[in-house]
Amino acid sequence: MRKLVYYVGSSIDGFIAGPDGSVDFFPMGDDILEHILSEYADAVPTHVRKVVGIDPENTRFDTVVMGRATYDPALREGITSPYRHLRQYVVSRSIAESPDPTVEIVADDPVGRVRRLKQEEGKGIWLAGGARLAGTLLPEIDELIVKIYPVVAGSGVPLFSGGFAPTQFELTASRVFDSGAAIMTYARK
């Protein structure tokens, strides 16, 4: 069975984006950037992969699930298929029709869709965000990989949004970088 992995960047105080959805306030040290490009290249947008010379073969993920707010920045730039190297699912009730044949819109029952994806053969399923979708899919998340950047945001989009649902995870790996960033990996307990 495939795993659903919530791989996401966060501020020290648990925000994945600013109140306006921006992420440009996260300090990106060369050390963590190098690590991301080598270990999590599947989560780098296709057009960026080409520029930085990332091998086109996927090693960790072959599918991405994202919410509308996570998909919107690419759309604003005219990119209708930001992760062309992955199977792409956008959970949205407001997008009536996909703007790209390689992107499937999931209007209803994202939990059921993820459960079916997990039953298929293949690599991991990357949950790219956002907070409401992560809250909805929390029962299906098998692993959390959180890049913690050395910045306090104060407010913004939290890691999870939804009802009170304490869910235990176990720390399975951690790495701290000289730039002050850290990557924490947790498995569902």
Side-chain angles (χ1 to χ4, degrees):
M1 181 191 281
R2 302 195 310 164
K3 289 182 179 181
L4 178 63
V5 179
Y6 188 21
Y7 168 69
V8 64
S10 173
S11 63
I12 294 169
D13 53 344
F15 294 103
I16 62 173
D20 62 354
S22 64
V23 295
D24 57 355
F25 63 91
F26 289 128
M28 185 65 70
D30 289 341
D31 51 0
I32 192 166
L33 179 59
E34 182 179 314
H35 184 75
I36 290 167
L37 294 176
S38 67
E39 297 298 318
Y40 300 97
D42 301 345
V44 174
T46 304
H47 67 284
V48 176
R49 285 170 58 116
K50 291 176 184 177
V51 171
V52 297
I54 294 175
D55 186 333
E57 184 177 335
N58 294 329
T59 59
R60 193 175 288 262
F61 305 116
D62 64 12
T63 304
V64 60
V65 177
M66 67 186 106
R68 167 75 190 255
T70 301
Y71 185 49
D72 276 346
L75 285 179
R76 284 194 297 272
E77 295 297 319
I79 301 169
T80 57
S81 181
Y83 300 100
R84 192 169 292 279
H85 58 285
L86 302 172
R87 288 172 57 198
Q88 301 167 89
Y89 296 89
V90 174
V91 177
S92 174
R93 288 191 179 102
S94 62
I95 301 176
E97 186 176 315
S98 176
D100 193 287
T102 65
V103 175
E104 182 178 320
I105 303 300
V106 178
D108 296 305
D109 193 19
V111 172
R113 185 67 180 120
V114 165
R115 285 179 179 156
R116 289 189 299 279
L117 287 170
K118 288 172 74 171
Q119 295 300 317
E120 297 174 1
E121 292 292 321
K123 294 180 179 11
I125 303 163
W126 169 36
L127 171 55
R132 282 185 306 198
L133 182 57
T136 299
L137 294 176
L138 180 56
E140 294 302 316
I141 295 174
D142 301 293
E143 188 174 53
L144 291 164
I145 302 173
V146 184
K147 299 170 288 187
I148 301 171
Y149 294 99
V151 63
V152 172
S155 71
V157 179
L159 274 166
F160 290 91
S161 180
F164 183 72
T167 305
Q168 291 194 350
F169 285 81
E170 176 179 20
L171 182 66
T172 58
S174 64
R175 179 165 178 193
V176 178
F177 296 86
D178 289 340
S179 63
I183 295 182
M184 309 299 281
T185 303
Y186 299 90
R188 179 176 291 282
K189 199 167 188 181

